[in-house]
Amino acid sequence: PRPITHHHTPHRILPIITLITDAYNMTMTTMTMGRGIVGTALAFALRICSSHAFVGPASPVLSPRTASRERSSPTSSLDMARNRGLERREEGATPLPGGMTLYVKPAADGKSVGDCPFAHFVRMVLAEKGLEYDLVPSSQENKPRWLVEDYGGKLPALRHREECHVDSEAIAQHLDFSFKEPALSLGGGETRRASEAIAGFFPAMAKFIKHSPSGDEEDEEKQAALEQKLQALEDHLSADTRTGPYLVGDGRKVTLLDCNMAPKLYAMEVCLKEIKGGAVVLGGYPKVREYMDELFARPSFRGAVEYGPETVVWGWTSH
């Protein structure tokens, strides 16, 4: 089944069909009883249909196991619609944990988890929130049809019950808004300053890592651009007002920005060593090095880095 989007809500079609069929049968059996009775029966059916035509909750996404049980259960279409409505009303406006599937980029074998830093970011947020989910590496050949047709096959994609969210930042914001504890967002000027400190880091890193051949004039310019971004991060982390290792405010609380940066810093470390021959010495940025070590030690990071350096190198050199 396709996930529900915010652009449309399916109606209770099956109950309407059932009611119209019943009305038709009743009409045919009472044809000899006079036009008045026929008119009454049809009017009654139309009133009931109109009361159901544009109301009712969206149908929930069914897992394969649930779908199998429902196909084998001899319940009527009206009962199924009522059951779906009760489930929706029980959940209410606040999303419930569970029912999450995260579709991510696969590794070279097409089956294991790939090195995508955006997927790793989402997985860190899920882990920090203590949320369980199914992980599905999805190549172009085995992506769900609804994901390709309705969302352009974009990864990572988080399917949460009836909804699907794509774009790692949008997914992270959804999770932090829907599941409050622990909060991973701090508003105001502190977050803005931290965001400015890391602005442009990933594009600068990607351009340098991807450039070939190494060592030419353009490569040196891209290296200088990356080092400029590393120095901006170093300066931010060195502020006198800071008492903790993380990005926002005094650095005592991990936030979405840290979850976002951790996989990118890991990819940078691997690629600088394995692809660029150690061209940038991270020891020249001691605060950045401490920050990286702190992030890499978090359980939320370690639990989502089952892909190793080999997969990172493959990911950055195969496209």
Side-chain angles (χ1 to χ4, degrees):
R2 296 188 181 188
I4 305 304
T5 70
H6 296 294
H7 305 296
H8 64 279
T9 302
H11 310 303
R12 291 183 176 177
I13 301 303
L14 289 177
I16 296 172
I17 295 173
T18 302
L19 289 166
I20 292 175
T21 302
D22 292 343
Y24 173 78
N25 292 333
M26 182 168 59
T27 300
M28 294 301 293
T29 59
T30 58
M31 284 291 289
T32 60
M33 298 178 65
R35 293 181 179 178
I37 296 176
V38 173
T40 302
L42 287 173
F44 172 72
L46 288 172
R47 283 198 300 271
I48 294 176
C49 291
S50 64
S51 68
H52 288 275
F54 299 104
V55 297
S59 302
V61 169
L62 299 179
S63 67
R65 290 189 297 271
T66 304
S68 177
R69 288 197 300 270
E70 290 211 6
R71 283 194 297 268
S72 62
S73 176
T75 55
S76 70
S77 59
L78 183 57
D79 287 337
M80 288 190 292
R82 284 172 177 165
N83 290 337
R84 288 196 291 268
L86 289 173
E87 179 177 330
R88 178 71 169 183
R89 285 193 292 271
E90 180 182 357
E91 181 169 325
T94 303
L96 297 176
M100 292 188 187
T101 301
L102 182 64
Y103 298 87
V104 300
K105 168 188 171 182
D109 60 8
K111 299 178 181 179
S112 54
V113 176
D115 66 304
C116 176
F118 304 104
H120 195 159
F121 166 33
V122 172
R123 295 181 69 190
M124 283 191 69
V125 175
L126 287 163
E128 293 288 343
K129 297 282 184 180
L131 297 170
E132 296 183 355
Y133 61 97
D134 293 325
L135 187 64
V136 182
S138 300
S139 65
Q140 192 62 37
E141 292 73 26
N142 65 7
K143 287 178 183 176
R145 183 174 179 180
W146 58 261
L147 181 58
V148 175
E149 293 183 353
D150 295 346
Y151 299 91
K154 294 179 181 178
L155 298 175
L158 179 70
R159 183 167 180 171
H160 183 200
R161 298 184 186 273
E162 296 127 341
E163 297 182 346
C164 180
H165 300 268
V166 295
D167 183 89
S168 58
E169 186 62 37
I171 296 171
Q173 293 290 345
H174 162 72
L175 293 171
D176 200 44
F177 177 81
S178 301
F179 304 98
K180 303 297 184 184
E181 297 297 331
L184 296 176
S185 296
L186 298 176
E190 293 179 342
T191 297
R192 185 177 64 254
R193 285 189 290 274
S195 297
E196 291 171 352
I198 61 174
F201 163 77
F202 189 66
M205 168 216 157
K207 289 176 181 178
F208 177 54
I209 299 301
K210 291 277 190 179
H211 179 74
S212 180
S214 296
D216 65 5
E217 183 176 351
E218 185 177 355
D219 193 60
E220 292 176 356
E221 292 175 356
K222 295 182 184 302
Q223 177 178 334
L226 172 59
E227 291 180 330
Q228 184 179 25
K229 297 301 180 182
L230 287 171
Q231 188 59 55
L233 179 56
E234 179 77 12
D235 294 343
H236 176 77
L237 295 171
S238 301
D240 294 337
T241 56
R242 298 177 52 80
T243 57
Y246 302 115
L247 277 175
V248 179
D250 61 8
R252 297 180 64 85
K253 182 176 175 57
V254 68
T255 68
L256 293 179
L257 289 181
D258 300 300
C259 296
N260 189 321
M261 282 295 288
K264 296 172 181 177
L265 290 167
Y266 175 70
M268 179 190 71
E269 181 178 46
V270 171
C271 291
L272 286 177
K273 178 182 178 181
E274 302 295 337
I275 299 175
K276 304 302 286 189
V280 177
V281 180
L282 294 177
Y285 308 92
K287 289 295 183 181
V288 174
R289 179 72 264 177
E290 291 176 11
Y291 176 56
M292 292 169 62
D293 292 341
E294 188 73 28
L295 291 176
F296 298 168
R298 290 192 72 83
S300 61
F301 176 86
R302 290 188 283 106
V305 72
E306 63 265 51
Y307 62 90
E310 299 85 0
T311 301
V312 174
V313 173
W314 169 83
W316 283 84
T317 58
S318 62
H319 303 290

